[in-house]
Amino acid sequence: MKNKKLKIVFMGTPEFSVPVLEALIENYQVVGVVTQPDKEVGRHHEIKPTPVKEVALKNNIVVFQPQRIKKEYQEILDLKADLIVTCAYGQMIPKEILEAPQYGCINVHASLLPKLRGGAPIHRAIINNETRTGVTIMYMVEKMDAGDILAQIDTPIYKEDNVGILHDRLSKMGAKLLIETIPDLIAGKIKPIPQNEEEVTYAWNIKREEEKIDFNKRTIDIYNQIRGLNPWPGGYALLEGKVVKIYEARISDSFFTTKKNGEIGKIYEDGIGVSTKDGEIIITKLQPSGKRKMLAKEYLNGVHEEDLLGKVFNEE
């Protein structure tokens, strides 16, 4: 139900936030957008606006980009929003903002809280071999993703899902759930549910060392690590000292008993078979050092099979 009298300030930054902002613009009066400062991207260090900023400017909405929102928030308060909605904003929001709107400050988070609080819930859900995830809308508090729950929706994590696929699905689900939740929140029909602190888990941002594929793990764990980093930031392994990004793989039925973990033991029509702790994983999409991302069968067209067999990933 559209309510153009309700004044909303939206706070978000990446692509995940875009469907949420677009849904708010369609249904409510968005009086301001807060997003992270523009950053350099790509090898040419081009300054680009955040995805959320691009949408705001296209819709003639005023944009604020504080370096440190804990000290730069007065302009946001001056907008006198009835409700503040955040989604993947990227900074901790001070109490002065949280307490300002009549209807509070609510957040759209890509997990089934209290599971996976933090900045990388989609990556971690896949890497951790979770079978379900979802979106939670909750009140914002001064502790990360710890506020009372207003609404949730869940979805299976399919074995074909990667971060990109799940990201897009959850983003659309979050936008829909938010638009369904706001009218009931404004009408006082929702009884917030406190999170069970005993069930809390965390989804910390992915560190560089976690991007390295560890072939000493079980095949299923490697498979989940690869798809849980695809398409960004991308998993990698070292082959003869050079970085090879690994984007897609499939689990083999083979079991190598005489191979080292990480050893290339078999070449398939569609991929490169690599020995693991309990079997074999077949790399099907990769990016060799200095080259473009490609299917493994394209890569194999340019190399001799005997030049790969017996080589070991991450061997020092």
Side-chain angles (χ1 to χ4, degrees):
M1 185 170 62
K2 296 183 179 181
N3 180 357
K4 290 292 184 175
K5 291 182 179 179
L6 189 75
K7 296 196 298 182
I8 292 178
V9 166
F10 179 75
M11 305 176 70
T13 297
E15 285 289 346
F16 185 85
S17 313
V18 167
V20 177
L21 174 56
E22 289 175 337
L24 287 173
I25 291 170
E26 184 178 340
N27 289 275
Y28 298 98
Q29 182 187 171
V30 180
V31 295
V33 163
V34 185
T35 190
Q36 293 278 59
D38 298 344
K39 289 186 177 179
E40 293 181 351
V41 296
R43 63 180 64 181
H44 300 296
H45 305 289
E46 180 184 359
I47 300 290
K48 284 200 70 174
T50 71
V52 161
K53 181 180 178 180
E54 289 182 338
V55 173
L57 294 178
K58 188 171 73 173
N59 287 275
N60 299 311
I61 299 170
V62 64
V63 176
F64 302 101
Q65 295 178 278
Q67 291 284 349
R68 295 187 64 200
I69 195 168
K70 286 191 174 182
K71 293 188 175 181
E72 307 167 58
Y73 55 78
Q74 187 56 50
E75 289 177 306
I76 301 167
L77 298 182
D78 290 343
L79 294 172
K80 299 189 183 303
D82 300 309
L83 175 69
I84 291 178
V85 177
T86 72
C87 179
Y89 169 54
Q91 293 189 50
M92 293 297 288
I93 298 169
K95 180 173 68 173
E96 289 82 359
I97 291 178
L98 297 178
E99 295 179 350
Q102 176 184 356
Y103 297 108
C105 186
I106 64 175
N107 182 46
V108 181
H109 181 75
S111 82
L112 296 173
L113 292 172
K115 277 191 172 184
L116 299 176
R117 293 179 181 176
I122 304 175
H123 295 80
R124 298 289 182 191
I126 295 175
I127 291 170
N128 295 352
N129 201 27
E130 303 278 355
T131 58
R132 302 191 75 82
T133 188
V135 177
T136 301
I137 297 174
M138 80 287 192
Y139 277 124
M140 293 284 288
V141 293
E142 288 188 274
K143 185 178 177 182
M144 182 178 66
D145 299 327
D148 291 354
I149 294 169
L150 302 171
Q152 283 188 328
I153 188 170
D154 71 334
T155 178
I157 300 177
Y158 302 104
K159 67 179 188 297
E160 300 84 8
D161 282 341
N162 60 32
V163 165
I165 294 169
L166 191 55
H167 167 283
D168 292 352
R169 186 158 82 245
L170 291 175
S171 181
K172 292 172 185 173
M173 288 170 59
K176 183 174 184 291
L177 182 63
L178 177 68
I179 297 307
E180 292 171 352
T181 301
I182 289 177
D184 287 342
L185 176 69
I186 301 305
K189 294 180 179 179
I190 297 177
K191 183 179 180 181
I193 301 171
Q195 294 187 41
N196 185 345
E197 292 294 324
E198 294 181 0
E199 296 178 359
V200 171
T201 62
Y202 290 95
W204 306 116
N205 288 333
I206 303 295
K207 297 177 181 176
R208 175 61 176 169
E209 56 264 31
E210 293 178 289
E211 297 169 21
K212 188 173 183 180
I213 306 301
D214 182 0
F215 292 98
N216 295 307
K217 293 180 178 179
R218 297 182 307 155
T219 308
I220 185 63
D221 295 329
I222 297 168
Y223 175 73
N224 290 334
Q225 184 183 8
I226 290 169
R227 68 192 185 109
L229 297 170
N230 177 25
W232 65 88
Y236 77 94
L238 298 175
L239 190 62
E240 297 186 308
K242 293 183 178 180
V243 171
V244 177
K245 298 278 271 189
I246 299 171
Y247 289 98
E248 292 180 9
R250 62 181 175 88
I251 295 174
S252 168
D253 296 328
S254 298
F255 187 88
F256 291 154
T257 56
T258 60
K259 305 296 182 184
K260 294 180 183 177
N261 294 344
E263 182 175 347
I264 298 172
K266 191 171 181 181
I267 303 300
Y268 295 83
E269 184 177 337
D270 67 335
I272 301 164
V274 183
S275 183
T276 68
K277 178 180 179 180
D278 62 351
E280 178 192 39
I281 192 149
I282 301 169
I283 299 169
T284 57
K285 194 170 190 177
L286 71 163
Q287 184 175 8
S289 180
K291 297 185 179 180
R292 63 177 176 83
K293 190 186 298 187
M294 65 183 75
L295 294 174
K297 61 183 178 182
E298 295 179 73
Y299 171 73
L300 291 169
N301 285 336
V303 297
H304 294 292
E305 184 172 315
E306 57 269 23
D307 291 338
L308 284 177
L309 290 172
K311 289 184 177 177
V312 181
F313 280 102
N314 300 331
E315 188 170 59
E316 296 184 3

